[in-house]
Amino acid sequence: MAARPATPASPKNHKVKAPQPGQPMYGCEHLQRLFNQDQATTNTSIQHYKAILHTIFAKSPLIAQTAKMVDGQPVTELTPTYLCLQCPSTLTEDDRTKHGAKKSHRFYVDSRCGTLYCQMCDDIVYDPTFEELRLRKLGTGSFASRKRKIEELFETTDPVRENPTFLSANTMAASCKAGGLRGIYNAGATCYQNVVLQSFLHNPILRNFYLSDGHSSSNCDVPHCLSCAMDDMFQDFYAAEATNGYTAANILSGFWISDKKAFENLVTTKEQDAHEFFQFLAEELHERNGDGKRPESGTDHTCTCIIHQTYYGKLLSTTTCQNCSAVTNQKQSFLDLSLPLENLSQKKGKNRNPRPNGVLTLQECLDEEYIKSDKCEYRCTNCNSMQQARRQTSILKLPNVLSIQLKRFEYKQGRNERAVKIDTPVQFPLELNMLPYTNTARTRDVSAEYELARSCTYDLLCVVVHVGEIDTGHYVSYCRVGDQWFVFNDHKVEVAQISDVLNSRPYLLFYIVRSLA
Amino acid sequence: MSSSDADGTGKAGVIVAPEDASPMDKLSHAILDDLVYNIVHDLLIKVHRDEKLARANTAAIKVEKLAMNATDGAAAADPKPDIVIDTDAAVYKDGQVTLKGNPLKTTQEILCPRCHLPRLLYPTDGKGARKPDPGVIYCKKHPYIQKPGYDIYGQTWVAPGPGRGKKKKDQKFDPNDPSSPAPDTGSAKDRPPNVLSFPSATCSKCKRCILVTRLNNHMGSCIGNSGRTASRAAAQKISNGSNGGSQNNDNTPPSSQKGTPLPGSRAASPRKRDADELDDDAEDSDLPGNPKKKTKLKAAGGSHALTKKVILKAKVPPSMAASLGKKDKPKTSSMLNVEQKPDDADDAKDSTVQVAPKKPTPVPKSASPSKKIKLGPPKPPLPSPGSLKKTKRERDLESESSGTLSSPPPR
């Protein structure tokens, strides 16, 4: 609490959020009274709230979790403590009442989620002004709103801002029924496309791009453009009232007509690999929206297109020569992380304490690829000969949406060469911390950087599951919409429980970054 | 941790160590108990926030509506209308809405923030369903339905017809469900509104209407040339010679190319391909896969929609077919036609003898057959799935999605 600034850094007056239609001005009557006292009270309340949020979210949890008892004894709790908004005390739930009675301080911030408790309501209150600060801190790690600056630039020229009725007069609100939850009909062995399309449809970044006319199909002249087909599909999902399945005819014909040679073998009426289709679709959409360059896999390609902004990250491979210790760095952009399962599950089996059923965790697979190093042969320019080298790969730049492929389909070499499916269950979390796999974590100690760790936290967005054998089977996908999970089985959409999702055997996993900084 | 608590465990108080447990045991019980408390705490905050915000906004919407009515809509133009509206839950004053009391107590219903209609709070069917008040117009966003065999909107689909690719499965299915192969005579009208059939879509190249489950196969043969007719199409192209470009640039559907019969080795092939094309159009058709089914179809009077293309093609002379309106088609169905179909489709090799005499009819007017194909499909595909039983074949329906994988062409 010592870090809380005693005097405001700037004399700027803090404002209460402007009233919004259909929303009360304050969280409760008591907050209304607080904000209406005088400007000084409003200023200190907002400053204190910001400082408390900073303590909770950007510092060691020990600080916020340690309360001072009435007798002055510090006590650290695992369960939430309450930080007084009006003075720098941290209290346990029991002492909160005593503190309120003694000092007439009525507002406390919950140390787990930063929400405000009003003692007079005896309830958590959600005040528009405070909630905006809290969500911004949670979302981006800072209170500054970059968006607002851009908005201010356009303030005078934007007709929407000048005249609030402009929007309602010129647009039609989508029906409340149109929630983007529809199945996609299987056009004959196209479930591998459907699962990937659903993962695109429920990706908030792509959704916002297409729904804000990022690629307007009415202004595009490319015949059979796949991005136009995507645009039409997003419109149909999020603006139409239809609840029956969607017929992805344009996607399909665009797909058939596409001349991508690398994916030529995809274009058949047979069952295909969903991961290959994901790569195909990503590259195709990049070509329609991006800089026109082909994203060569394995190169350090950067592009500002929506696909690169969404899915592409960068890897750094460091090769160290075992002979002369020369280090070679190589940057690569990646669309997805492919994690092999076979070796790992075999290793697991030999382990002294194999877990029941040889269950792997996603983190173990990531450890293997992006923390541990492996040996390889390479031509060292320093020694000018083939040398043993140690190679280590870490993530240089994390993408906004992290796609992970678990290599369930392997080509077995040997006497009878054949492709096999590895059915090993892999446990995966709803919340994934990618910090350990980054280059930053490899080069310095990050154990105390809570803000950094939060910026590397990902939430599960979509799971693609393959059921059946290697050469024939079916794909279904689970997607999260808000906090609710749904299972998409071609045209059929059903509610899914989190346990259904976590017990599935994933093939592709899509994680979305929690804070879009 | 709250090891200081009187009961010796955490804050939740649900995980309690036995009296005689060691201090370490008690400590770990207390920690686990605290963690359970935190999980429940986080879940509750989430739900509480959603609910309380929804109710607070409802209170605001209601009082704003009253203010609007009181000022005849002038409140929208004037940022600070000179009125005060006071409800149980909120106050409207100086154009500002402030809460009165806790919205969780003062407000019971939830209004949609967009359309301002009340939200339906319980699903209408399945798990946790309640009957909605018929006198209330609800917001169109409904709670999702959880009912086995139905989707989140309470919809289900008619089972797809047994196409050629489904033969095995259907045979397997027969003993369990003797009624299953019997075609349902009911049309789309007789189905409950929540039972949907598979729609059709227009092929972007040939503009024909294709049932969605056959779309990929159709495009394979229409756009791509990797369909099962690919080799034949390629052979055709080589022998035609004229259209040297890729098939993509060729606007003539393969079906009409057969207008020029080939003298050479593949004499039977145009005919056969023609049959294939037909199937593609009549995707929905229950092609009588085995004799047993065939007889049932007959007994039920045949499923007209499917066979009529054959009728048009094979039986009716082109000139006459042109004069026949679409409406007339169903009447022309006959058992003979039903039997004719499998010969065309599946047994083309054996039926070459049969084929030969029929051949002459389409030849004189080479363009007409394909024209008729275009004419025919747009309307039949939709209603015909209705002709298939919708009887509780839920299991089949579920596997149907994967089942479409097993549609005719090679795996």
Side-chain angles (χ1 to χ4, degrees):
Chain A
M1 288 300 95
R4 203 180 284 177
T7 48
S10 67
K12 173 182 125 186
N13 279 342
H14 291 275
K15 267 187 242 160
V16 175
K17 201 181 170 211
Q20 305 282 318
Q23 202 178 308
M25 180 86 182
Y26 306 102
C28 70
E29 296 161 277
H30 318 106
L31 273 175
Q32 182 187 351
R33 237 174 280 152
L34 179 81
F35 280 130
N36 285 334
Q37 262 175 29
D38 51 48
Q39 185 62 46
T41 318
T42 307
N43 281 352
T44 46
S45 301
I46 291 180
Q47 273 160 16
H48 278 190
Y49 190 64
K50 280 182 168 183
I52 290 172
L53 288 179
H54 188 74
T55 311
I56 293 173
F57 293 122
K59 291 190 186 167
S60 162
L62 265 180
I63 299 176
Q65 291 300 127
T66 306
K68 210 175 223 177
M69 305 289 278
V70 187
D71 54 12
Q73 189 82 22
V75 54
T76 303
E77 298 253 355
L78 282 174
T79 52
T81 59
Y82 293 86
L83 289 80
C84 180
L85 186 71
Q86 286 140 300
C87 75
S89 328
T90 304
L91 307 144
T92 62
E93 192 172 358
D94 299 332
D95 288 350
R96 201 175 58 190
T97 330
K98 293 175 203 155
H99 183 80
K102 204 167 104 192
K103 301 229 173 146
S104 308
H105 291 169
R106 301 299 179 197
F107 303 102
Y108 302 90
V109 183
D110 181 310
S111 70
R112 274 188 75 77
C113 41
T115 47
L116 196 72
Y117 168 83
C118 168
Q119 201 164 54
M120 283 174 282
C121 292
D122 190 20
D123 199 4
I124 309 265
V125 290
Y126 305 95
D127 182 79
T129 312
F130 285 147
E131 276 297 284
E132 194 179 60
L133 291 173
R134 186 175 77 93
L135 294 181
R136 213 181 284 158
K137 184 75 185 168
L138 266 178
T140 63
S142 90
F143 298 114
S145 152
R146 219 177 302 156
K147 207 175 159 194
R148 178 167 290 168
K149 275 179 199 152
I150 296 164
E151 273 173 12
E152 278 162 8
L153 274 179
F154 289 99
E155 205 152 20
T156 47
T157 51
D158 191 354
V160 178
R161 290 196 150 270
E162 276 174 19
N163 186 357
T165 56
F166 186 86
L167 264 186
S168 53
N170 289 286
T171 55
M172 234 170 48
S175 160
C176 300
K177 204 175 183 178
L181 287 162
R182 288 174 72 181
I184 305 175
Y185 283 112
N186 191 324
T190 58
C191 57
Y192 70 96
Q193 299 184 3
N194 291 352
V195 289
V196 174
L197 291 177
Q198 289 288 4
S199 85
F200 275 54
L201 280 164
H202 296 105
N203 179 332
I205 302 173
L206 290 180
R207 184 194 63 203
N208 291 353
F209 171 78
Y210 277 103
L211 292 186
S212 59
D213 261 355
H215 180 104
S216 173
S217 56
S218 50
N219 296 332
C220 178
D221 302 327
V222 181
H224 304 292
C225 168
L226 262 179
S227 196
C228 292
M230 287 297 282
D231 187 44
D232 292 344
M233 184 167 70
F234 271 99
Q235 294 295 338
D236 247 52
F237 269 70
Y238 288 97
E241 265 192 24
T243 54
N244 65 343
Y246 178 76
T247 308
N250 287 342
I251 302 262
L252 197 60
S253 64
F255 172 57
W256 273 102
I257 287 164
S258 165
D259 55 353
K260 266 279 163 56
K261 285 292 167 262
F263 296 98
E264 208 171 29
N265 62 338
L266 264 185
V267 181
T268 77
T269 48
K270 293 179 196 168
E271 297 173 22
Q272 293 295 341
D273 181 17
H275 178 246
E276 263 178 77
F277 183 73
F278 168 63
Q279 291 177 314
F280 162 81
L281 201 56
E283 291 194 13
E284 190 79 12
L285 294 179
H286 155 74
E287 219 152 286
R288 294 276 166 260
N289 295 297
D291 56 8
K293 276 186 224 147
R294 286 236 166 158
E296 303 280 332
S297 60
T299 60
D300 181 20
H301 178 94
T302 358
C303 170
T304 52
C305 79
I306 183 66
I307 294 296
H308 274 75
Q309 281 182 32
T310 311
Y311 291 110
Y312 278 83
K314 270 180 195 164
L315 290 175
L316 181 74
S317 303
T318 309
T319 318
T320 314
C321 176
Q322 296 298 82
N323 188 36
C324 66
S325 302
V327 177
T328 325
N329 283 328
Q330 198 199 0
K331 285 182 197 171
Q332 289 183 330
S333 64
F334 69 90
L335 171 66
D336 47 41
L337 302 178
S338 281
L339 303 177
L341 296 180
E342 194 176 34
N343 292 340
L344 217 52
S345 61
Q346 276 172 358
K347 225 185 260 175
K348 262 279 155 71
K350 285 176 198 154
N351 240 359
R352 263 188 307 127
N353 296 320
R355 250 176 263 171
N357 316 325
V359 176
L360 281 173
T361 67
L362 181 66
Q363 286 92 335
E364 282 168 334
C365 299
L366 286 165
D367 285 354
E368 194 69 23
E369 287 292 299
Y370 302 106
I371 290 186
K372 292 179 186 162
S373 54
D374 59 349
K375 276 186 196 148
C376 67
E377 291 242 318
Y378 97 127
R379 181 155 195 92
C380 179
T381 47
N382 220 14
C383 316
N384 211 7
S385 63
M386 288 304 282
Q387 290 294 341
Q388 284 287 320
R390 189 153 279 282
R391 186 177 52 192
Q392 212 227 11
T393 309
S394 60
I395 299 171
L396 194 61
K397 179 180 166 279
L398 281 164
N400 285 326
V401 175
L402 179 73
S403 36
I404 298 174
Q405 179 209 13
L406 299 170
K407 290 188 190 160
R408 290 205 178 274
F409 304 105
E410 290 269 314
Y411 200 74
K412 265 237 169 82
Q413 297 195 320
R415 251 177 304 150
N416 39 356
E417 285 193 334
R418 65 202 162 91
V420 287
K421 184 179 172 190
I422 303 162
D423 241 339
T424 318
V426 176
Q427 287 180 352
F428 54 101
L430 286 172
E431 180 187 319
L432 178 65
N433 177 18
M434 288 300 289
L435 182 62
Y437 314 109
T438 59
N439 191 49
T440 322
R442 203 163 58 107
T443 45
R444 62 185 160 102
D445 179 32
V446 289
S447 56
E449 297 189 42
Y450 301 96
E451 200 79 49
L452 186 66
R454 267 176 357 99
S455 72
C456 296
T457 304
Y458 284 75
D459 290 310
L460 189 63
L461 184 67
C462 178
V463 183
V464 170
V465 179
H466 182 264
V467 287
E469 300 302 308
I470 177 107
D471 47 358
T472 180
H474 186 48
Y475 281 107
V476 291
S477 62
Y478 295 92
C479 292
R480 180 170 57 85
V481 179
D483 284 325
Q484 179 63 57
W485 283 89
F486 295 91
V487 56
F488 295 85
N489 184 348
D490 287 335
H491 54 270
K492 208 162 182 182
V493 188
E494 284 172 81
V495 171
Q497 305 303 321
I498 290 179
S499 55
D500 300 339
V501 180
L502 293 180
N503 282 326
S504 63
R505 292 193 180 179
Y507 175 47
L508 302 177
L509 290 164
F510 294 90
Y511 281 91
I512 187 164
V513 72
R514 184 172 289 175
S515 58
L516 282 170
Chain B
M1 62 229 59
S2 316
S3 44
S4 57
D5 284 7
D7 55 2
T9 191
K11 207 164 175 178
V14 289
I15 295 161
V16 186
E19 285 287 315
D20 53 350
S22 68
M24 201 56 199
D25 260 6
K26 284 191 170 158
L27 182 64
S28 45
H29 276 75
I31 289 174
L32 186 61
D33 194 72
D34 270 353
L35 295 182
V36 168
Y37 178 91
N38 281 349
I39 291 169
V40 175
H41 173 268
D42 292 356
L43 281 174
L44 274 177
I45 289 272
K46 222 181 240 178
V47 176
H48 180 266
R49 180 174 188 274
D50 290 349
E51 191 68 19
K52 195 168 182 181
L53 281 177
R55 300 226 194 161
N57 292 346
T58 299
I61 291 165
K62 277 184 171 171
V63 78
E64 277 175 5
K65 236 194 224 168
L66 287 173
M68 281 288 248
N69 292 343
T71 56
D72 276 337
D78 185 0
K80 282 196 175 182
D82 189 23
I83 51 159
V84 176
I85 305 276
D86 200 334
T87 67
D88 289 344
V91 182
Y92 184 93
K93 196 184 171 190
D94 296 338
Q96 274 184 16
V97 180
T98 49
L99 289 173
K100 259 171 78 179
N102 193 333
L104 287 175
K105 286 179 188 138
T106 57
T107 310
Q108 291 313 313
E109 62 175 346
I110 290 176
L111 295 185
C112 171
R114 281 164 68 186
C115 64
H116 294 187
L117 291 170
R119 279 265 167 84
L120 196 55
L121 299 178
Y122 302 93
T124 51
D125 199 3
K127 203 167 148 190
R130 290 201 195 175
K131 272 240 154 63
D133 184 345
V136 180
I137 303 168
Y138 291 100
C139 166
K140 282 178 180 167
K141 187 179 161 69
H142 290 186
Y144 300 116
I145 290 169
Q146 285 178 269
K147 190 179 177 186
Y150 293 82
D151 77 349
I152 50 169
Y153 303 110
Q155 301 168 146
T156 188
W157 276 262
V158 290
R164 282 166 303 166
K166 296 219 184 294
K167 267 186 247 170
K168 258 183 212 159
K169 195 194 289 167
D170 283 315
Q171 275 166 352
K172 243 188 267 165
F173 211 82
D174 283 345
N176 305 335
D177 186 2
S179 65
S180 67
D184 188 340
T185 43
S187 71
K189 281 177 225 146
D190 304 329
R191 282 201 308 260
N194 67 334
V195 179
L196 307 178
S197 60
F198 289 83
S200 296
T202 314
C203 169
S204 64
K205 193 184 176 214
C206 65
K207 307 293 176 210
R208 282 192 290 178
C209 210
I210 308 293
L211 188 86
V212 64
T213 52
R214 301 278 300 174
L215 199 61
N216 196 27
N217 285 316
H218 168 81
M219 287 186 177
S221 48
C222 187
I223 302 171
N225 42 9
S226 53
R228 105 187 113 145
T229 55
S231 62
R232 269 171 258 149
Q236 188 87 48
K237 229 186 293 169
I238 292 163
S239 53
N240 277 357
S242 55
N243 41 357
S246 82
Q247 207 189 349
N248 290 4
N249 309 329
D250 176 12
N251 284 320
T252 326
S255 57
S256 63
Q257 289 174 3
K258 72 128 225 272
T260 345
L262 285 187
S265 54
R266 304 188 76 94
S269 87
R271 179 81 196 93
K272 191 185 170 196
R273 183 177 56 249
D274 199 41
D276 290 341
E277 285 289 316
L278 277 172
D279 302 339
D280 280 339
D281 296 340
E283 322 77 351
D284 47 307
S285 68
D286 344 3
L287 260 193
N290 53 38
K292 188 180 169 193
K293 241 172 266 159
K294 209 196 295 174
T295 50
K296 289 237 171 125
L297 270 176
K298 270 193 248 171
S303 45
H304 338 283
L306 335 160
T307 47
K308 65 177 153 269
K309 261 155 277 156
V310 181
I311 300 153
L312 269 180
K313 269 196 71 60
K315 293 287 159 188
V316 187
S319 52
M320 197 185 145
S323 65
L324 273 173
K326 282 184 195 172
K327 313 139 219 159
D328 301 327
K329 286 178 197 168
K331 289 178 200 154
T332 56
S333 82
S334 77
M335 290 162 192
L336 224 193
N337 295 322
V338 179
E339 276 180 0
Q340 190 60 58
K341 193 97 191 273
D343 288 344
D344 284 350
D346 291 328
D347 310 344
K349 279 170 236 136
D350 309 325
S351 64
T352 33
V353 187
Q354 222 181 346
V355 164
K358 266 187 283 165
K359 199 70 207 183
T361 32
V363 169
K365 273 184 146 193
S366 58
S368 62
S370 72
K371 216 182 234 163
K372 251 162 283 143
I373 290 171
K374 276 184 195 165
L375 253 181
K379 71 164 216 202
L382 252 175
S384 48
S387 64
L388 303 162
K389 65 276 121 198
K390 62 201 169 195
T391 40
K392 67 281 129 157
R393 284 181 58 183
E394 275 159 22
R395 189 176 311 160
D396 188 42
L397 210 137
E398 211 156 278
S399 66
E400 161 264 317
S401 28
S402 58
T404 39
L405 295 175
S406 58
S407 46
R411 294 262 192 126

